[in-house]
Amino acid sequence: MKVIWKSCKGQDRMHNSDYGIFCNYPEQYIFIIGDAREEKESNYFIKYILEFIAKQLHLQSPNEIKHILKCAKDSYVENEGFPRNLPNQMASLHILIVDKVSLQTQSFNLGDCRFGYRDNDKWNWLTEPHMIPGQEYYVTQSFRTKKPIGEICKQEFHLENERVYCLGSDGYWGENVSQHDDSSYLEVSGLGIEVVEIDCRGVNFSHF
């Protein structure tokens, strides 16, 4: 299996606030992409939150994802302190949990990242941006207000060995119309091959 991560900073951004995660656990693969609002602390914030989620998903049922998100926020505050520059931090994330044997896949989407597969050199997107008016898409509850975590869209797919799949941030799947937003994608191919090759073509990526 080959995993490719590529991430580029938007032209108007001082920092790249996208982040990708790949986990090769004994019974499952976990893929996560996150897209945070640009703030001074966003890069470390999104890294901390997504790594926390990835590790907890290995220990807990994915049906507990909202509880895991709350624990991620609490853990961040406990270990890093109350963030001065992230009072209302928002972020999108998209999580895939792939069973290694059956390739049955659970998808959890909160925000405007998307999942799809390549078809004749074009991406066929299987998920739509998931944003509920009035709820926005807080990955964690806001640090200074009590706005709730948005509703998470859960879907299930059966993946195929021969297809190439992708998780993309909105700056990527929107085809960089303005090129002002960060553009990132996490691509995977050869799901039936046990040996894993990782090609990291950018910053902001962790794998376990």
Side-chain angles (χ1 to χ4, degrees):
M1 183 174 72
K2 186 169 185 177
V3 177
I4 297 174
W5 167 256
K6 185 173 182 180
S7 184
C8 300
K9 181 176 70 68
Q11 290 181 357
D12 292 343
R13 298 287 190 108
M14 294 183 63
H15 310 282
N16 185 342
S17 298
D18 289 352
Y19 207 88
I21 301 273
F22 166 63
C23 301
N24 184 4
Y25 292 133
E27 297 181 353
Q28 60 192 14
Y29 299 119
I30 293 179
F31 304 90
I32 307 177
I33 189 170
D35 176 3
R37 184 164 64 182
E38 186 183 29
E39 300 284 356
K40 289 182 179 179
E41 296 179 48
S42 289
N43 185 268
Y44 183 72
F45 166 82
I46 195 68
K47 176 180 187 293
Y48 187 101
I49 296 296
L50 296 193
E51 287 186 350
F52 184 97
I53 292 169
K55 293 170 183 175
Q56 290 300 309
L57 282 172
H58 182 51
L59 302 172
Q60 300 186 48
S61 165
N63 293 325
E64 299 296 322
I65 184 63
K66 292 192 77 169
H67 174 70
I68 292 173
L69 290 176
K70 181 181 183 303
C71 290
K73 172 206 169 181
D74 294 343
S75 176
Y76 185 92
V77 172
E78 179 180 352
N79 290 282
E80 304 300 325
F82 190 92
R84 294 183 178 182
N85 297 312
L86 298 173
N88 297 301
Q89 178 59 273
M90 291 189 299
S92 301
L93 85 163
H94 203 132
I95 301 167
L96 296 179
I97 303 173
V98 183
D99 182 275
K100 285 186 173 182
V101 176
S102 68
L103 299 186
Q104 193 66 24
T105 299
Q106 297 178 80
S107 164
F108 299 89
N109 183 20
L110 177 62
D112 53 14
C113 298
R114 299 180 80 178
F115 168 63
Y117 65 90
R118 183 175 291 154
D119 184 17
N120 294 324
D121 295 324
K122 293 184 65 176
W123 290 115
N124 179 19
W125 298 109
L126 298 172
T127 64
E128 296 293 329
H130 182 65
M131 293 172 285
I132 299 175
Q135 282 193 327
E136 302 186 82
Y137 43 106
Y138 287 83
V139 161
T140 68
Q141 288 179 314
S142 171
F143 286 96
R144 289 185 184 166
T145 69
K146 296 299 182 181
K147 287 188 177 181
I149 298 169
E151 284 302 313
I152 298 171
C153 179
K154 179 182 178 182
Q155 296 172 268
E156 293 199 10
F157 304 98
H158 183 269
L159 306 190
E160 300 179 19
N161 289 330
E162 64 274 12
R163 279 187 168 162
V164 179
Y165 294 94
C166 173
L167 283 173
S169 68
D170 62 331
Y172 177 72
W173 63 259
E175 299 182 351
N176 274 334
V177 174
S178 66
Q179 297 184 342
H180 297 307
D181 197 3
D182 302 329
S183 173
S184 306
Y185 67 85
L186 183 58
E187 179 182 302
V188 57
S189 58
L191 279 166
I193 301 173
E194 291 187 8
V195 177
V196 177
E197 176 186 352
I198 297 175
D199 182 357
C200 181
R201 305 179 185 179
V203 296
N204 302 355
F205 182 68
S206 299
H207 58 89
F208 320 126

